[in-house]
Amino acid sequence: MRPLAVRAWRAAGETRARRCFGTSVNPRSVVAELSERLPERAVVTTDCGTALDRWTRHLRLRTGMRSLLSGHLALPGAAVPYAVAARFAAPDRPVIALAGDGALQGGGSPGSAGPPLATR
């Protein structure tokens, strides 16, 4: 049984994820929907900031899934390099990166001064 405060916090997050903003996409809804559709044994990486906030409120990892976070480093741009490393470390596992808008300016991410990433 979860403590009452945790249940209330999760319920508030679910309410925010259901909000509709006309023609705009609600990023919380995207992460909540992703949570239900994550493949088994997925590895999910995330940056700090709003991407991490949405991850903590709306993403539910199941048994066998892994996560990689930048933690308390406040490091924008960590999700993509972490995802690349996870793919090299476990090429048989699906890897998903949740990157915020600050990731475009963080080192090693697409849009930064680094080399472009190749995908297959």
Side-chain angles (χ1 to χ4, degrees):
M1 184 65 121
R2 289 190 177 121
L4 183 59
V6 173
R7 285 194 303 242
W9 182 76
R10 290 203 189 268
E14 290 170 7
T15 299
R16 289 180 182 141
R18 287 191 299 268
R19 283 191 209 161
C20 180
F21 298 104
T23 59
S24 299
V25 174
N26 180 350
R28 294 175 184 275
S29 295
V30 172
V31 177
E33 290 295 324
L34 171 67
S35 183
E36 296 175 16
R37 291 168 172 74
L38 282 174
E40 297 302 317
R41 300 184 65 238
V43 178
V44 183
T45 68
T46 188
D47 287 329
C48 62
T50 56
L52 181 58
D53 171 64
R54 291 175 184 128
W55 185 94
T56 56
R57 277 204 184 256
H58 306 292
L59 204 67
R60 306 287 189 268
L61 297 178
R62 298 183 297 277
T63 302
M65 295 180 177
R66 301 287 311 261
S67 64
L68 299 167
L69 312 169
S70 66
H72 297 290
L73 299 175
L75 182 63
V80 173
Y82 285 6
V84 171
R87 190 64 175 180
F88 278 118
D92 60 320
R93 295 180 83 150
V95 179
I96 296 138
L98 296 176
D101 57 347
L104 297 176
Q105 298 170 358
S109 295
S112 70
L117 294 174
T119 58
R120 54 179 176 129

